Amino acid sequence: MEALATDFKIKEALQSLGVKDVNQGTSTGSDWFSEGDIIESYSPVDGKLIGAVKTTTKKDYDKVMEAATSAFKTWRTMPAPQRGEIVRQFGDKLREKKQALGKLVSYEMGKSFQEGLGEVQEMIDICDFAVGLSRQLHGLTMHSERPGHRMYEQYHPLGVVGIISAFNFPVAVWSWNTALAWVCGDVCVWKPSEKAPLCGIACQHIAAEVFKANNLPDGISCLINGDYRVGEMMTKDKRIPLISATGSTRMGKIVAQEVAGRLGKTLLELGGNNAIIVTPDADIKMTVIGAVFGAVGTCGQRCTSTRRLIIHESIYDKVKSAVVDAYKQLRIGNPLDENNHVGPLIDKEAVEMYNTALKKVVAEGGKIVVEGGVLEGEGYESGCYVKPAIAEAQPDFEIVQHETFAPVLYLLKYSGDVENAIDIQNNVAQGLSSAIMTNNLREAERFLSVAGSDCGIANVNIGTSGAEIGGAFGGEKETGGGRESGSDAWKIYMRRQTNTINYTTELPLAQGIKFDL
């Protein structure tokens, strides 16, 4: 592939990541194989073909699962701090390859180069977090009601963890799951998005390099590729006790039903319809920064992207004017050019959803205040570049109730006190991220109270987009209820066991039952 304007050569980047043959899309580590159909990865940046990957067949999948279940027997017996050392080495490899992997993420997915680097940094950060965690997988000790007895609980690894990730964060979300699962003693089978398969192949090569250097068996990190039919192999497989799935609410409901039918566990990170409440006591400059980045970052393709701006009527015109002026400064173009703010949507299907949303909001009675549209001409040959748009709307519009995975921001007006704004915010099916802009302590505390935001993430004076590794990430309602990354999210990757030890010469029975022999 020819160099882009940014002097980025995709072949050189892939080679520096250890990828010499992108054709094979199934791996147990050092072993690569595939017998399935071909899926082609086209860059939304310029529409060019990056590479073709063979998908995973049922035969390939069974080979992966055989390796994974075998490797688990070895990996689970390694002390957790030693597993943490392996994850530390993986994090160091990511540091070495950060530039190349960040560029690949940017080129294959379409997010800005800065965001691509930021995504790899998230991978590094979760590795650091997991290394510390490897010495803190603690249980509890409890007092027994029986004399001479001790009770405690401990956590053991689950086994094989299945990971299904989405295109918008093609590497970070996998690492959030994998780094924690690895230190917990689990092995992982990953199906990356079919829209960004090369990012998955690159990560698998990096992980395999670390495991091979430590003489560890294949199967601790496994990769499969394909569409929903490959994902179904995991969701239906009783050998996989936990499925972590990121994607749409529609997809999550299918996964949840399938896994629940075999009494497995799910960790779901699904859709968001995130809002920022702007009260009369808000700092307007901070509001504009938070709202604009939240709405247009990653071209509106984050699950935490800002979709709704709920503004008090007394400052509505002032805030609207400031946000509209800020949109005039946005630069749209090649995401590998760091002068640009907004890159392309992932593909033509996403462009169609964007166009449909703008038509629908007008049909329902809304007003477009920043015109959208698909960009054409030099630099926009892929057909995936669109203008971030703003529309005035009503909270009960059907299109406002749904998540449009594109840079469309809805301005909503509220009157009265902050309770009315919170009601508007909560009155959607999704519950991922939320924020309030205010310098009023009472409003901030009300927003964070039990009667406030119903989302998994609630922020004050920062936007909805982005999250720190140290906190658990996830949402409620149709967002799925899952939690990844920090806090005690590690517990989902383990099984809890309660233990009782009797160190006497007697065996007291429950409820005073006598059973003498």
Side-chain angles (χ1 to χ4, degrees):
M1 177 169 290
E2 295 180 0
L4 301 178
T6 52
D7 195 34
F8 168 64
K9 295 182 176 64
I10 187 64
K11 290 182 179 178
E12 291 181 4
L14 287 168
Q15 287 172 358
S16 69
L17 293 166
V19 182
K20 298 178 181 179
D21 179 11
V22 300
N23 187 256
Q24 300 300 329
T26 307
S27 171
T28 57
S30 61
D31 192 12
W32 289 81
F33 49 93
S34 294
E35 296 184 0
D37 298 329
I38 293 291
I39 53 173
E40 295 177 328
S41 178
Y42 289 89
S43 171
V45 174
D46 55 15
K48 294 181 178 180
L49 177 66
I50 307 175
V53 177
K54 283 186 179 179
T55 57
T56 302
T57 65
K58 182 63 168 63
K59 180 181 177 181
D60 297 331
Y61 175 78
D62 288 338
K63 184 176 179 179
V64 164
M65 286 304 300
E66 182 179 349
T69 52
S70 176
F72 174 60
K73 296 176 182 178
T74 299
W75 184 241
R76 67 182 176 183
T77 61
M78 180 182 289
Q82 291 184 25
R83 297 194 295 260
E85 166 59 19
I86 303 301
V87 173
R88 184 195 66 77
Q89 294 177 30
F90 179 62
D92 285 347
K93 282 293 179 184
L94 291 172
R95 287 179 171 89
E96 294 175 16
K97 301 176 185 291
K98 180 177 178 179
Q99 291 289 318
L101 185 55
K103 283 186 176 180
L104 177 60
V105 168
S106 178
Y107 188 63
E108 188 171 34
M109 185 268 151
K111 64 176 57 177
S112 72
F113 181 41
Q114 299 96 312
E115 290 182 279
L117 292 175
E119 186 168 344
V120 181
Q121 186 60 50
E122 284 190 32
M123 301 175 75
I124 295 168
D125 291 343
I126 196 63
C127 286
D128 288 348
F129 179 89
V131 172
L133 178 65
S134 68
R135 296 180 182 272
Q136 300 179 66
L137 301 174
H138 50 75
L140 296 173
T141 300
M142 293 138 308
H143 289 280
S144 173
E145 66 184 32
R146 292 167 288 190
H149 287 62
R150 180 167 68 87
M151 290 180 63
Y152 70 97
E153 66 178 22
Q154 59 181 330
Y155 288 84
H156 294 304
L158 284 173
V160 181
V161 171
I163 302 167
I164 301 172
S165 63
F167 73 86
N168 60 330
F169 280 85
V171 296
V173 172
W174 166 71
S175 70
W176 288 1
N177 286 274
T178 299
L180 298 191
W182 280 344
V183 298
C184 288
D186 300 314
V187 299
C188 298
V189 176
W190 177 27
K191 191 198 89 64
S193 169
E194 60 269 33
K195 297 182 180 183
L198 297 185
C199 286
I201 288 173
C203 290
Q204 178 69 356
H205 274 281
I206 297 171
E209 185 179 345
V210 173
F211 286 111
K212 183 177 180 180
N214 287 274
N215 296 315
L216 289 166
D218 275 4
I220 299 172
S221 178
C222 296
L223 182 75
I224 57 178
N225 265 294
D227 59 16
Y228 72 93
R229 290 168 292 186
V230 175
E232 285 178 349
M233 295 180 193
M234 286 198 292
T235 59
K236 295 179 178 180
D237 194 336
K238 293 182 179 180
R239 294 170 294 182
I240 302 181
L242 171 65
I243 296 289
S244 175
T246 303
S248 68
T249 297
R250 181 192 62 82
M251 179 274 289
K253 289 180 178 179
I254 295 171
V255 170
Q257 291 174 13
E258 186 67 52
V259 178
R262 59 178 176 83
L263 298 181
K265 299 167 66 175
T266 54
L267 193 170
L268 301 175
E269 298 289 356
L270 311 176
N273 193 350
N274 316 296
I276 298 177
I277 294 172
V278 188
T279 81
D281 289 314
D283 182 312
I284 302 300
K285 181 179 179 181
M286 289 176 62
T287 298
V288 171
I289 293 171
V292 173
F293 175 73
V296 309
T298 322
C299 201
Q301 296 172 114
R302 291 185 175 211
C303 51
T304 56
S305 291
T306 304
R307 312 290 179 196
R308 299 173 294 147
L309 205 56
I310 305 170
I311 312 166
H312 192 270
E313 60 183 0
S314 66
I315 58 168
Y316 181 85
D317 290 337
K318 184 177 181 180
V319 173
K320 181 178 78 170
S321 177
V323 174
V324 169
D325 285 344
Y327 267 51
K328 296 175 182 178
Q329 303 173 44
L330 294 175
R331 292 186 294 273
I332 308 166
N334 190 321
L336 291 165
D337 182 347
E338 296 185 42
N339 292 313
N340 292 325
H341 301 113
V342 184
L345 289 171
I346 185 65
D347 56 22
K348 298 286 184 63
E349 183 181 353
V351 173
E352 183 59 32
M353 288 191 294
Y354 159 86
N355 285 328
T356 299
L358 292 178
K359 292 176 184 176
K360 190 165 182 59
V361 71
V362 172
E364 291 192 67
K367 178 183 178 183
I368 303 294
V369 294
V370 172
E371 292 288 340
V374 182
L375 294 170
E376 299 177 344
E378 185 178 356
Y380 305 126
E381 290 85 356
S382 70
C384 296
Y385 290 88
V386 301
K387 300 176 184 178
I390 301 177
E392 293 181 299
Q394 296 297 321
D396 59 351
F397 282 6
E398 183 182 1
I399 189 62
V400 175
Q401 293 288 313
H402 295 279
E403 177 187 44
T404 300
F405 224 53
V408 179
L409 177 65
Y410 301 112
L411 305 185
L412 311 176
K413 186 184 296 185
Y414 82 95
S415 58
D417 56 26
V418 73
E419 279 81 3
N420 294 332
I422 293 172
D423 287 343
I424 293 172
Q425 180 209 274
N426 291 347
N427 191 31
V428 293
Q430 310 83 4
L432 179 52
S433 187
S434 59
I436 188 170
M437 294 292 184
T438 182
N439 289 322
N440 183 312
L441 178 63
R442 288 190 175 92
E443 288 180 334
E445 291 295 337
R446 176 68 176 77
F447 178 74
L448 300 176
S449 74
V450 67
S453 170
D454 64 1
C455 296
I457 299 170
N459 300 325
V460 176
N461 290 331
I462 63 171
T464 63
S465 186
E468 291 189 33
I469 288 299
F473 178 89
E476 300 302 320
K477 302 191 293 187
E478 288 195 357
T479 302
R483 291 298 185 275
E484 294 172 330
S485 192
S487 185
D488 64 348
W490 60 272
K491 292 181 178 179
I492 190 69
Y493 305 97
M494 305 194 83
R495 58 181 177 88
R496 186 193 305 241
Q497 184 182 82
T498 300
N499 307 115
T500 305
I501 300 172
N502 177 5
Y503 55 89
T504 73
T505 59
E506 298 180 355
L507 183 58
L509 302 177
Q511 288 82 45
I513 295 174
K514 299 295 184 181
F515 189 62
D516 296 325
L517 292 177

